[in-house]
Amino acid sequence: GAVVSQHPSWVICKSGTSVKIECRSLDFQATTMFWYRQFPKQSLMLMATSNEGSKATYEQGVEKDKFLINHASLTLSTLTVTSAHPEDSSFYICSARVNRGNGVEQFFGPGTRLTVL
Amino acid sequence: SQKIEQNSEALNIQEGKTATLTCNYTNYSPAYLQWYRQDPGRGPVFLLLIRENEKEKRKERLKVTFDTTLKQSLFHITASQPADSATYLCALPSRDSWGKLQFGSGTQVVVTP
């Protein structure tokens, strides 16, 4: 199956700093990747759709200047949380869309736990 | 957007029994519906996809049904094992953008020996 990796798996940072999270498709090319955020005991909330070679599409209520997304190649998308604050502490998960003969599947990365002090 | 409802209470079940989870949606009927498994601190893992014209889909000990009239999908784990303990999420495609998914909040399953 398709494998998606994320780095780092966890990060602790001070308030006001920026944090970059990488999402890589290891054995396939992904023109579209998605970034989600998940708070404890809650569902995955889609933050943005990352398209290779073009600007990301953000969901309503997500600040594009705070959550910078770059999808510079077919195997790498990055999410940068700028000027992070404690309320940005969450579990960030990326996924890559794969077209199958019977529909569309998303393969998820293992997630990145961000803690902002 | 869709409102997707999954039982928020954990389902505690004895090993060997069948676990049944429910996913209800309130708005438009999607072309397909997916089920994922999520372990603590991990990303979701795709399990099954069922299309609107399919009543039932099976994969090993897993069975999914899809009733577009009731706007409901049922997810069954037969002969459950402790290793099946996890949170199970249903996901529906977004109508406004191909490939986007909307997730339910998930139901935790705990299988005890």
Side-chain angles (χ1 to χ4, degrees):
Chain A
V3 179
V4 176
S5 70
Q6 278 184 246
H7 178 81
S9 56
W10 59 271
V11 57
I12 301 173
C13 68
K14 292 182 178 180
S15 184
T17 61
S18 294
V19 175
K20 179 186 282 188
I21 303 170
E22 294 185 348
C23 177
R24 292 182 186 272
S25 56
L26 297 185
D27 50 1
F28 66 102
Q29 293 181 332
T31 55
T32 301
M33 291 184 174
F34 300 95
W35 285 96
Y36 295 84
R37 181 167 51 180
Q38 186 177 36
F39 293 103
K41 302 290 186 182
Q42 294 188 22
S43 182
L44 281 77
M45 297 302 296
L46 179 65
M47 299 175 67
T49 302
S50 172
N51 299 297
E52 187 269 336
S54 64
K55 290 183 179 180
T57 305
Y58 291 82
E59 295 299 300
Q60 194 172 12
V62 178
E63 299 176 57
K64 63 179 181 181
D65 294 330
K66 181 170 183 62
F67 299 99
L68 301 179
I69 292 172
N70 185 281
H71 194 156
S73 78
L74 288 172
T75 59
L76 173 65
S77 175
T78 60
L79 168 69
T80 301
V81 183
T82 62
S83 186
H85 288 93
E87 58 266 29
D88 298 323
S89 298
S90 187
F91 191 51
Y92 292 86
I93 311 172
C94 72
S95 72
R97 188 178 73 192
V98 176
N99 300 334
R100 299 293 198 195
N102 63 348
V104 176
E105 291 180 27
Q106 287 193 25
F107 290 88
F108 286 82
T112 297
R113 175 74 58 192
L114 170 63
T115 302
V116 184
L117 303 176
Chain B
S1 63
Q2 282 279 18
K3 184 177 180 182
I4 303 172
E5 297 174 340
Q6 290 187 259
N7 196 336
S8 59
E9 291 185 14
L11 178 63
N12 292 283
I13 192 166
Q14 195 171 15
E15 182 176 9
K17 301 293 184 181
T18 297
T20 298
L21 286 66
T22 303
C23 175
N24 294 298
Y25 57 93
T26 59
N27 201 348
Y28 60 90
S29 280
Y32 60 88
L33 185 149
Q34 300 181 352
W35 284 88
Y36 289 79
R37 168 182 174 144
Q38 187 175 24
D39 290 284
R42 307 291 295 175
V45 174
F46 172 80
L47 296 175
L48 280 165
L49 179 152
I50 185 166
R51 294 196 162 279
E52 60 180 341
N53 60 351
E54 297 175 313
K55 296 296 183 185
E56 182 180 296
K57 200 81 168 277
R58 290 176 185 261
K59 179 183 177 182
E60 298 173 353
R61 294 183 294 108
L62 306 179
K63 185 179 84 171
V64 172
T65 62
F66 193 8
D67 189 326
T68 56
T69 301
L70 292 178
K71 295 188 176 181
Q72 180 182 80
S73 174
L74 299 179
F75 178 83
H76 306 272
I77 307 172
T78 59
S80 59
Q81 304 169 0
D84 295 327
S85 298
T87 296
Y88 292 86
L89 308 167
C90 70
L92 280 64
S94 170
R95 187 162 62 173
D96 61 352
S97 179
W98 184 71
K100 281 170 59 174
L101 291 175
Q102 189 174 349
F103 285 83
S105 56
T107 298
Q108 184 184 12
V109 173
V110 179
V111 182
T112 53

